[in-house]
């Protein structure tokens, strides 16, 4: 992906910068002047960290340099020429041919092709990158309240990689909620707008494997060098390197070096930085220094919007009521929604003449709907048990009238979670706790207030909630 994008890029880069330059010309006069200057250019090639634009004689160099060099440099940078290359006008012989996408052997021996090779080798020495999924673009990403903040941050980063304070951009959230999609969308955007950028998209697992290989092959300096040349590093699923101290240390150094040179880093994780277990404090500190954004489970409206967008892509006409049925019943994450839609689409392809009814959809999706139910319905008993285990007390303790602080917190927390995570009425909860409903209400409210001011309590609550397979963000408004 990267290679394809980059190796053919020398001529593309040049053409793109010329068209950018044309775009910024405000008057017809400026444009026509430029059209007269451009044919005077005899060559354009990279020579030692400079982008040298050639003219046939010194007169043209002296005349055009003050007018054109700076705008051209800006345009080249905007088109993707790495910032460290400056533009210089100089006397050069005419370039035989514009660099072709695949140079013939004769052409490859010609000097002008060097530009291409220099760009290519400069850019080739980047780390291995996974191909970007072609559908994971901003255009295909449906925005909703659950992801709008993350989406806005991703757009900002894509438009100005390394140039915003969102560095790193740290995106976290449960699985299947669109973290990887959003991360790859940044990659697509950057490559489309500056084809010469080196975008590296890897999982932390790949980073780990490459690191291990580098150690085994005694090539750690080359490994480091490669990563430090990247313009945009997209590191997916950072939680994978939990507890792996050496690779964390290596990443810490890579991270610092990239930030120092204003390169963009984007990281995804299934939990927020502060909840990353077995991570070095200093690394967590770094993760928090840019922008941390969460993607939450989509609301009904967003689920329906996602379904409509994905349904449109299948080119099948799926009745609105079926889409609504899926959005109502498959709530956990987007990947599950896609799976449900795929099943419906397969049915429609195979049974084209049978009209799709809600009953059929119910039948087709019965397994997923069952699964969703187990995610949705927690019993008060489950909650009491999980809370009691966490605090090292028993369910009897929670039900007892004893009012020591070691029991009051777990009891009230269990009440709070029962209010938040079940659909039981206050009276039903009170009955199960063997208390009055005023006591349950008071208990839940006390915890709600304490959560705002007691980070430790909040952490405990998050842990308990995650042990029950749920997300704390579901209950904190
Ligand atoms: P994660 O990395 O968070 O586990 P992914 O990015 O792999 O999740 O997303 C899972 C699937 O859901 C992908 O196919 C992705 O395209 C889709 N998806 C998630 N969120 C959205 C969204 N807001 N709009 C469109 N598709 C989405
Ligand atoms: Mg992912």
């Amino acid at each position: 992906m990267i290679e394809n994008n980059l190796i053919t890029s020398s001529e593309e880069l040049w053409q793109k910068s010329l068209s950018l330059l044309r775009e910024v010309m405000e008057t017809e006069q400026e444009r026509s002047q430029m059209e007269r200057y451009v044919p005077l250019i005899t060559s354009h090639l990279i020579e030692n960290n400079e982008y040298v634009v050639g003219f046939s004689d010194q007169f043209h160099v002296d005349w055009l340099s003050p007018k054109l060099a700076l705008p051209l440099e800006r345009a080249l940078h905007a088109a993707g020429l790495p910032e460290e290359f400056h533009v210089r006008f100089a006397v050069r012989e005419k370039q035989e041919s514009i660099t072709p996408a695949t140079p013939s052997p004769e052409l490859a021996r010609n000097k002008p092709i060097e530009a291409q090779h220099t760009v290519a080798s400069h850019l080739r020495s980047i780390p291995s990158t996974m191909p970007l999924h072609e559908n994971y673009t901003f255009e295909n990403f449906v925005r909703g309240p659950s992801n709008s903040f993350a989406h806005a941050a991703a757009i900002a980063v894509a438009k100005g990689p390394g140039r915003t304070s969102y560095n790193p951009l740290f995106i976290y959230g449960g699985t299947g909620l669109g973290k990887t999609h959003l991360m790859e969308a940044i990659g697509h955007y950057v490559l489309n707008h500056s084809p010469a950028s080196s975008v590296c998209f890897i999982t932390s697992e790949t980073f780990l494997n490459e690191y291990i290989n580098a150690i085994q092959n005694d090539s750690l300096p080359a490994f480091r060098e490669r990563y430090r040349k990247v313009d945009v590093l997209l590191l997916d699923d950072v939680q994978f390197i939990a507890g792996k101290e050496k690779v964390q240390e290596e990443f810490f150094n890579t991270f610092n070096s990239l930030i120092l040179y204003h390169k963009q880093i984007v990281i995804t994780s299934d939990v927020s930085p502060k909840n990353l277990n077995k991570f070095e404090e200093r690394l967590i500190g770094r993760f928090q220094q840019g922008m941390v954004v969460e993607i939450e489970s989509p609301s009904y409206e967003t689920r329906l919007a996602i379904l409509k967008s994905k349904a449109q892509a299948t080119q099948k006409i799926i009745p609105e009521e079926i889409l609504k049925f899926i959005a109502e019943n498959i709530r956990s994450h987007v990947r599950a929604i896609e799976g449900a839609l795929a099943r419906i689409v397969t049915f429609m392809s195979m049974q084209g003449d049978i009209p799709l009814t809600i009953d059929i959809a119910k039948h087709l999706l019965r397994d997923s709907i069952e699964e969703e139910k187990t995610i949705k319905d927690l019993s008060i008993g489950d909650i009491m048990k999980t809370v009691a285990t966490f605090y090292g007390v028993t369910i009897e303790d929670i039900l007892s009238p004893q009012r020591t602080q070691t029991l009051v917190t777990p009891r009230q927390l269990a009440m709070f979670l029962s209010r938040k995570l079940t659909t039981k009425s206050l009276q039903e909860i009170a009955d199960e706790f063997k208390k009055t409903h005023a006591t349950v209400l008071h208990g839940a409210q006390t915890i709600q207030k304490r959560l705002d001011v007691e980070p430790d309590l909040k952490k405990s609550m998050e842990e308990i909630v995650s042990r029950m397979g749920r997300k704390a963000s579901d209950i904190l408004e």
Side-chain angles (χ1 to χ4, degrees), residues 136 140-142 147 176-181 310 334-335 338:
Y136 287 3
N140 292 336
F141 192 84
V142 175
N147 61 36
L177 295 180
K179 301 182 296 294
T180 302
H181 185 140
K310 307 251 167 190
V334 182
R335 202 174 285 127
E338 284 179 335

Side-chain angles (χ1 to χ4, degrees), residues 14-86:
W14 176 247
Q15 293 301 342
K16 190 158 179 201
S17 58
L18 290 185
S19 57
L20 283 174
L21 203 52
R22 284 183 190 108
E23 270 171 42
V24 297
M25 303 267 144
E26 278 173 13
T27 64
E28 200 47 54
Q29 194 196 355
E30 279 181 287
R31 265 191 295 275
S32 74
Q33 249 176 4
M34 188 186 131
E35 296 313 328
R36 276 184 286 124
Y37 298 158
V38 169
L40 301 174
I41 295 171
T42 53
S43 68
H44 55 94
L45 56 138
I46 286 175
E47 292 176 348
N48 313 315
N49 268 20
E50 284 186 311
Y51 197 96
V52 177
V53 178
F55 294 87
S56 56
D57 54 55
Q58 193 59 40
F59 168 74
H60 284 144
V61 171
D62 294 341
W63 174 47
L64 290 175
S65 197
K67 294 186 207 295
L68 207 56
L70 196 59
L72 192 56
E73 179 173 297
R74 288 205 187 112
L76 278 158
H77 286 160
L81 179 73
E83 295 279 334
E84 65 259 35
F85 290 95
H86 291 289

Side-chain angles (χ1 to χ4, degrees), residues 164-385:
T164 67
S165 57
Y166 302 174
N167 208 2
L169 172 61
F170 191 102
I171 306 171
Y172 74 96
T175 104
L177 295 180
K179 301 182 296 294
T180 302
H181 185 140
L182 212 45
M183 170 178 256
E184 291 192 38
I186 298 174
H188 279 298
Y189 190 99
V190 170
L191 284 172
N192 284 340
H193 289 79
S194 14
S197 296
S198 50
V199 173
C200 172
F201 165 57
I202 46 160
T203 63
S204 70
E205 186 176 8
T206 311
F207 186 81
L208 170 71
N209 290 337
E210 289 206 353
Y211 171 71
I212 294 171
N213 281 341
I215 292 180
Q216 283 169 351
N217 303 332
D218 225 5
S219 57
L220 212 47
F223 167 87
R224 290 186 177 141
E225 181 63 18
R226 283 204 319 272
Y227 274 98
R228 283 162 207 190
K229 275 195 181 141
V230 162
D231 296 315
V232 178
L233 177 63
L234 308 173
L235 186 74
D236 205 9
D237 289 325
V238 75
Q239 75 274 1
F240 186 84
I241 56 168
K244 312 224 161 45
E245 283 161 28
K246 280 277 171 217
V247 75
Q248 282 183 25
E249 191 180 323
E250 187 62 37
F251 184 63
F252 181 75
N253 293 328
T254 305
F255 185 104
N256 290 342
S257 156
L258 289 173
I259 295 280
L260 186 66
Y261 289 101
H262 301 287
K263 308 298 190 179
Q264 182 67 46
I265 301 175
V266 184
I267 298 170
T268 69
S269 155
D270 61 355
V271 291
S272 68
K274 66 176 186 320
N275 286 328
L276 275 170
N277 272 328
K278 301 195 193 140
F279 265 76
E280 282 188 50
E281 276 306 317
R282 56 179 190 162
L283 200 50
I284 291 179
R286 289 291 190 273
F287 291 167
Q288 290 171 319
Q289 84 190 5
M291 173 60 92
V292 177
V293 289
E294 180 177 11
I295 301 191
E296 296 173 79
S297 299
S299 63
Y300 170 77
E301 284 72 26
T302 310
R303 294 199 297 277
L304 190 59
I306 292 175
L307 269 164
K308 284 184 177 166
S309 136
K310 307 251 167 190
Q312 208 169 27
T314 69
Q315 296 181 341
K316 288 245 182 294
I317 298 167
I318 304 171
E320 170 106 5
E321 55 164 10
I322 300 289
L323 296 179
K324 285 188 171 157
F325 175 80
I326 303 177
E328 264 158 31
N329 287 282
I330 313 286
R331 322 157 54 117
S332 55
H333 54 75
V334 182
R335 202 174 285 127
I337 293 171
E338 284 179 335
L341 183 66
R343 223 160 305 146
I344 298 283
V345 169
T346 310
F347 172 86
M348 290 175 81
S349 314
M350 285 167 23
Q351 313 279 343
D353 34 355
I354 303 179
L356 186 57
T357 61
I358 293 280
D359 277 341
I360 295 180
K362 225 181 240 170
H363 181 74
L364 289 172
L365 305 180
R366 62 192 179 282
D367 290 346
S368 328
I369 294 172
E370 262 319 295
E371 223 170 275
E372 294 281 332
K373 277 216 183 102
T374 60
I375 298 173
K376 245 188 297 174
D377 290 350
L378 279 170
S379 73
I380 294 176
D382 292 335
I383 294 172
M384 284 187 201
K385 194 162 158 232

Side-chain angles (χ1 to χ4, degrees), residues 4 87 103 114 124 131 152 161 225 228 314 332 363 413 420 430 461:
N4 286 347
V87 167
E114 267 175 26
R124 212 188 328 223
E225 181 63 18
R228 283 162 207 190
T314 69
S332 55
H363 181 74
L413 186 55
K420 294 287 184 179
M461 187 276 291

